[in-house]
């Protein structure tokens, strides 16, 4: 049953932004008795939520090891131990199952709705907010937030928000859920960062993060669409900038990658993109090496290839492809090495066979740049976490300002962690804001 809302002159809680963090906090604040208005500049809620997990919505991550979970938020993850003990992964799964969203766990502990449909998640969140009595104002672009600081400094309270059309909306509490800067076409254009700076908060500059990598090799387009499930990926830089022969490994991971028209994507690449971006900023030459046989040593690989060629002496090498390597990639490797796929296995010299094996263990590509905000899953940066009280997700400078979701300066991995941050911060801020009335 939808509660009838009587419009007050001063709302208990105004939430700015109708993404996952805003919807969660609005619903919870209303559940705990607050009169809540949610302002969203788009004509619909949750545009970015609908893009999540390729439209399937990776809701959270069910890694049972809390330390491991928290480490996915980088060094600042420690701030989240206590909040996650209040509303963590299990709470999220229970919360959504109670709303009728059955969930399933996929490799890497990624949790998805059984329906594989982000629209279902947005649907239940919106319905719950309405049932709890949240009033929505869509097409409401907030232009400013106004503070009522007694001495004009960076402290005190927020008094109102001003919409683009000049309308002023007053409230006892404000929850800022305007997101970061990735995929700006969804509405996340970093407006909250600008306001926070204006009222004296420290805001760490943003960069695209969890973003596909563009490669220098133009031929990579020929491999577009190929997905590899369990390959090794490592990042390399020159030991000395003056010597192009010696490289040192900076980072290594194992997992899924995807070839795109301009380079590489997929969870493993996204999770390494920050490191690559930082190295490129330092003007380093960065190589990304793919190991098609992680966990198999060079010696064993050599034995495998010797056996393969010895058992099939009269077969063309283009037809002797290890099952782990897609044909298109294998033929590209032969082409790069100047070898003809029409050659027979018994024509291959030892040095050539060794070179093939080495390429399969270390297929080196050259990073050119990170793609932009329009392709990033999240942006880095946001409000300085030292200025946030994590018991309530409240500003330490403004007693009635709550900060949730992507607006917070956490690094995060791909795998459901960003949305869990929305659920955790939204739940806690929603409840605290209702108590703060
Ligand atoms: C392609 C893609 C796939 C992703 N997949 C996943 C995934 O599977 N799992 C996962 O955990 N995370 C995923 N993410 C990240 C996740 O979507 C974000 O972490 C999450 O949406 C952040 O929620 P939020 O509520 O903080 O902000 P947002 O979702 O960005 O919502 C902010 C809202 O505020 C509104 N707004 C902004 N400025 C104003 C203003 N001035 N006035 C009024 N309203 C305003 C915007 O219109 C927007 O609706 C993905 C992101 C992308 C781009």
């Amino acid at each position: 049953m939808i509660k009838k809302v009587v419009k007050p002159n001063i709302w208990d809680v105004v939430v700015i932004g109708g993404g996952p963090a805003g919807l969660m906090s609005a619903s919870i604040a209303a559940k705990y008795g607050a009169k809540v208005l949610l302002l969203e500049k788009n004509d619909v809620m949750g545009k970015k939520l609908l893009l999540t997990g390729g439209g399937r919505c990776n809701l959270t991550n069910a890694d049972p090891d809390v330390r491991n979970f928290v480490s996915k938020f980088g060094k600042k993850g420690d701030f989240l131990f206590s909040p996650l003990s209040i509303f963590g992964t299990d709470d999220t799964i229970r919360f959504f199952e109670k709303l009728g969203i059955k969930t399933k766990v996929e490799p890497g502990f990624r949790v998805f709705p059984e329906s594989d449909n982000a629209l279902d998640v947005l649907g239940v969140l919106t319905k719950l907010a309405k049932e709890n009595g949240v009033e929505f104002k869509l097409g409401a672009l907030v232009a400013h937030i106004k503070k009522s600081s007694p001495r004009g400094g960076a402290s005190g309270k927020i008094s109102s928000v001003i919409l683009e059309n000049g309308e002023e909306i007053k409230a006892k509490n404000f929850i800022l859920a305007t997101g970061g800067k990735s995929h700006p076409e969804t509405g996340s254009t970093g407006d909250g960062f600008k306001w926070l700076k204006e009222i004296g908060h420290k805001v760490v500059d943003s960069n695209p993060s969890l973003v596909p990598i563009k490669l220098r090799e133009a031929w990579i387009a020929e491999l577009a669409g190929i997905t590899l499930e369990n390959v090794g990926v490592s990042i390399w830089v020159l030991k000395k900038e003056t010597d192009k022969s010696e490289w040192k490994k900076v980072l290594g991971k194992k997992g899924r990658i995807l070839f795109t028209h301009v380079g590489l994507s997929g969870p493993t690449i996204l999770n390494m993109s920050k490191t690559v971006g930082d190295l490129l900023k330092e003007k380093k030459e960065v190589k990304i090496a793919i190991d098609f046989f992680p966990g198999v040593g060079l010696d064993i690989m050599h034995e495998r290839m010797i056996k393969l060629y010895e058992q099939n002496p009269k077969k063309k090498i283009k037809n002797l492809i290890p099952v782990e390597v897609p044909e298109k990639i294998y033929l590209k490797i032969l082409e790069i090495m100047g070898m003809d796929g029409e050659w027979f296995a018994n024509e291959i010299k030892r040095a050539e066979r060794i070179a093939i094996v080495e390429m399969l263990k270390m297929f080196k590509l050259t990073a050119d740049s990170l793609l932009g905000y329009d392709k990033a899953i999240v942006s880095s940066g946001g409000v300085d976490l030292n200025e946030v009280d994590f018991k309530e997700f409240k500003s330490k400078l403004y007693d009635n300002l709550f900060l949730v979701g992507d607006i917070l300066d956490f690094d995060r991995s791909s795998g459901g962690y960003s949305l869990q941050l929305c659920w955790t911060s939204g739940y806690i801020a929603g409840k605290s804001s209702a108590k703060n009335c």
Side-chain angles (χ1 to χ4, degrees), residues 16-22 39-42 44-49 51-54 57-60 112 140-143 177-180 182-183 186-189 191-192 195 376-378 404-407 412 415-420 422:
I16 312 168
L39 302 171
E40 166 56 52
K41 71 177 173 189
N42 291 325
V44 288
M45 299 284 172
K47 271 191 165 183
K48 190 180 279 181
L49 182 60
L51 300 183
T52 56
C57 186
N58 181 187
L59 265 182
T60 183
F112 289 86
L141 175 74
V142 175
T178 44
S182 72
H183 279 261
T186 62
S188 326
T189 45
D191 299 10
W195 306 326
I377 301 292
V378 294
V404 293
D406 273 6
I407 205 156
R412 44 215 184 280
Y417 301 98
S418 293
L419 284 177
Q420 183 57 51
C422 293

Side-chain angles (χ1 to χ4, degrees), residues 325-339:
V325 190
E327 183 179 359
K328 264 193 188 172
I329 296 183
Y330 193 73
L331 295 182
K332 186 45 99 182
I333 286 176
L334 294 182
E335 185 189 316
I336 293 168
M337 295 171 68
M339 293 175 72

Side-chain angles (χ1 to χ4, degrees), residues 112-128:
F112 289 86
E114 255 182 28
S115 66
D116 283 330
N117 195 347
L119 199 56
D120 293 347
V121 176
L122 180 60
V124 295
L125 277 175
T126 314
K127 184 164 171 263
L128 178 70

